[in-house]
Each structure stands twice: as C-alpha cells, then as structure tokens.
Amino acid sequence: MTTESQQDPRTSVAPVLLGGAAVSVGAGVVLAGLGAVVSGAPAAYGAIVGAGLVVVVFALGSLAVDAVATVAPGLALVVALTTYLLQVVLTGVGFLALDRSGALGETLAAGWVAAGAVVGTLSWVVLQIALTTRLRIPAYALTAAAPSGADDHRTPASGAARAGDR
C-alpha cells in the first residue's frame, strides 16, 4: 500500500524573486552610501536609480517567465530568451529616458547610475543562481498507479517480464 504524496510539485518563484530584489536593493543602498561619501547626493541618487531600474526590469522578466512556465512549460525557453532581449531593451530605454529628461548630470551622476545598474545586476544574478540551484524541482511528475486488476501486457516469455523479476 502506498500513500499519495501531498506535496505540490510546482515550485514558487517568490523566494528567488524576493531574494534577488532584496539583495539588489541592498547593494544599491550600500553603493548609494559610498556615492554620498565620495561624490555627494547626485551619486547617491544615481546609484539608487540604477539599482532600482534593474530590480524593476528583472522582476518583470522573472514574473513573465514563471507565468509562462506554469501554463506552458514547453514555451519557457523561448519566452526566457525573448524576455532577456526585452530586458536589455527596457534597460536601454530607461537610460535613454533619463538622459533625455536632463536628470543625468544635474540630479543624477551618470557614472553612478551605471554603477548601480551593474552592481544591481551582478548581485541579482549571483543570488538567483545560488537560490535556484537549491530549489527542489522534480524532473518529472509521478502519475497515479495503475489499478491492481490491470493487465500487465508483458508475456512470461518476454524479456521485459524477466527483467522486471530481477
């Protein structure tokens, strides 16, 4: 007699998403503190904006890939690659919007915005890899066992029957 597993084989993306966001925001805050000491308020604001941009773009990408992987796992790779391309484009659009708004240079130090984006990206990716490798994701889902009266379509003379007896 076997007992049916009560575990849900699906794994939530929430711990990975929240962990990546928290570490990226934390790294941005540390960088902002460093920027404030070294170069003043525009550097601090720039580091926060750069890290914040990365957190928003990566969170949206992770949620999109998770949603598709839950509904249609076969499309997950295609959506992940497309999402990566869109993340790069959205980050570029964010930098372009900051540049055209006139905020870079006066309110935000451009170098510190870039540094915030780089530090946010590296911290997100490193933590996401570490957390994802620790997730318990089943390679396959077990199906219900065959009823006890079900015929075994192997014949006694077949190799499959003999191999199963070993």
Side-chain angles (χ1 to χ4, degrees), residues 36-137:
V37 169
V38 172
S39 299
Y45 296 146
I48 291 292
V49 167
L53 178 65
V54 165
V55 167
V56 169
V57 169
F58 280 7
L60 292 174
S62 292
L63 289 172
V65 171
D66 183 57
V68 171
T70 301
V71 175
L75 295 176
L77 182 59
V78 173
V79 171
L81 293 172
T82 304
T83 302
Y84 176 73
L85 174 66
L86 291 175
Q87 286 175 329
V88 171
V89 169
L90 283 176
T91 304
V93 167
F95 281 118
L96 185 63
L98 286 173
D99 186 40
R100 290 199 176 161
S101 72
L104 289 181
E106 299 169 9
T107 310
L108 305 172
W112 288 93
V113 173
V118 168
V119 166
T121 299
L122 289 176
S123 59
W124 180 289
V125 168
V126 167
L127 190 77
Q128 188 173 28
I129 290 170
L131 291 176
T132 302
T133 56
R134 289 183 174 89
L135 287 177
R136 294 180 50 95
I137 302 172

Side-chain angles (χ1 to χ4, degrees), residues 27-39:
V29 168
V30 169
L31 189 65
L34 179 65
V37 169
V38 172
S39 299

